[in-house]
Amino acid sequence: RKEVEQDPGPFNVPEGATVAFNCTYSNSASQSFFWYRQDCRKEPKLLMSVYSSGNEDGRFTAQLNRASQYISLLIRDSKLSDSATYLCVVRTGGSYIPTFGRGTSLIVHP
Amino acid sequence: DGGITQSPKYLFRKEGQNVTLSCEQNLNHDAMYWYRQDPGQGLRLIYYSQIVNDFQKGDIAEGYSVSREKKESFPLTVTSAQKNPTAFYLCASSMPSGTRDTEAFFGQGTRLTVV
């Protein structure tokens, strides 16, 4: 079983739609969680950290479920500019290395 | 501006050659990482370093080597032993473990092609 798993998609949605991605992780000792965005042929950039109580940043909402070992990202009112790959990242105590999921591709169309 | 810089952006290598990818950061981060990304794939860890003069192998270290002589610098050498080196290479850095919000910051990447 991979440490961090994501549905690769693509998720193909119209502008204005709400879309949600999930990510599961295998190590129950994982301590820090993040969502990154990666545009085609570019480096990943931090979208948001994921806190235990859940957190929101504008149209983006992140949730953490430790019991079921998954995190989620909800995007409301999708824009064309949201089209990208969204990477789930988990850091586990000890070496604290960022471990990446394969990414979920989102395509927002007019 | 603080950040992490990789060079070159594009690199072409002949088979049998060693090449070195540069990674420099001025964020005062202790930890640095090298990842490889293949088309349609996630990031796979090659090497990482938590402190100067120390580094550890990641999941796919074979055919690669690194050094960490300075806190700011973590160069990656792709040796001729790496059988399939064509890929997008990403360097990252972060704060030490135990610090909240220890997100990783990335350089712009180096796209290596074997010709």
Side-chain angles (χ1 to χ4, degrees), chain A residues 21-91:
Chain A
F21 310 135
N22 281 340
C23 164
T24 59
Y25 60 94
S26 60
N27 191 331
S28 59
S30 297
Q31 296 177 336
S32 301
F33 308 89
F34 308 91
W35 283 103
Y36 278 72
R37 171 192 169 128
Q38 186 176 26
D39 293 296
C40 188
R41 301 178 72 83
K42 299 284 189 180
E43 76 276 21
K45 293 186 178 177
L46 180 70
L47 178 66
M48 59 196 302
S49 303
V50 186
Y51 302 127
S52 297
S53 54
N55 48 299
E56 189 174 305
D57 183 1
R59 297 182 292 109
F60 300 86
T61 301
Q63 297 278 354
L64 167 64
N65 185 319
R66 285 192 184 271
S68 300
Q69 294 183 204
Y70 76 84
I71 68 172
S72 63
L73 177 68
L74 181 77
I75 305 176
R76 291 181 298 279
D77 189 22
S78 297
K79 311 290 186 192
L80 295 176
S81 58
D82 292 334
S83 298
T85 296
Y86 291 84
L87 300 165
C88 170
V89 182
V90 174
R91 300 191 75 173

Side-chain angles (χ1 to χ4, degrees), chain B residues 8 11-22 62-66 75-83 85 89 112-115:
Chain B
L11 185 58
F12 297 90
R13 191 196 93 170
K14 292 182 180 178
E15 286 196 24
Q17 277 184 338
N18 292 357
V19 291
T20 296
L21 283 56
S22 170
E62 186 175 350
Y64 300 98
S65 66
V66 293
L76 173 74
T77 297
V78 184
T79 75
S80 56
Q82 170 48 238
K83 290 182 171 52
Y89 290 88
L112 173 63
T113 304
V114 173
V115 296

Side-chain angles (χ1 to χ4, degrees), chain A residues 36 38 43 91 95-96 98, chain B residues 33 35 37 50 102 104 107 111:
Chain A
Y36 278 72
Q38 186 176 26
E43 76 276 21
R91 300 191 75 173
S95 61
Y96 227 57
Chain B
Y33 312 88
Y35 293 90
Q37 188 176 34
Q50 304 279 33
T102 51
R111 204 163 290 277

